[in-house]
Amino acid sequence: MVQTILRLPAVKAESGASRSTIYLRIKQGLWTKPVKLGLRAIGWPSNEVAALLQARIAGFDDQSIRALVVKLEEARSSAFKNI
């Protein structure tokens, strides 16, 4: 499965949220933390952005979205444990 990394401008365009709102949501546990791509570059896996947007569209409450964020971030680290 090919996965893309979305940089901040693409995440802003996809979500309709501003930079400050995205970082506020990260602080509140309502958005996944970014992935480091280099010394000064970050991004978010496209599947995580899609899952978070689908949860918002479906009307999930903040508690459910926080649980989803935890699940998505755990999936990142467990994806390569078997390699």
Side-chain angles (χ1 to χ4, degrees), residues 3-72:
Q3 199 173 139
T4 59
I5 301 290
L6 301 176
R7 301 290 304 273
L8 185 59
V11 173
K12 287 170 45 179
E14 290 276 326
S15 68
S18 68
R19 177 188 186 281
S20 58
T21 298
I22 292 167
Y23 282 101
L24 176 63
R25 287 181 181 167
I26 292 169
K27 187 176 181 179
Q28 294 172 334
L30 298 171
W31 199 267
T32 56
K33 293 178 181 132
V35 174
K36 288 189 178 228
L37 301 175
L39 292 176
R40 297 179 53 174
I42 60 166
W44 286 264
S46 59
N47 68 314
E48 292 180 7
V49 173
L52 290 167
L53 294 177
Q54 288 172 355
R56 284 268 173 213
I57 291 167
F60 285 26
D61 62 6
D62 285 354
Q63 184 177 354
S64 299
I65 291 177
R66 281 187 186 96
L68 175 61
V69 167
V70 169
K71 183 178 174 183
L72 291 170

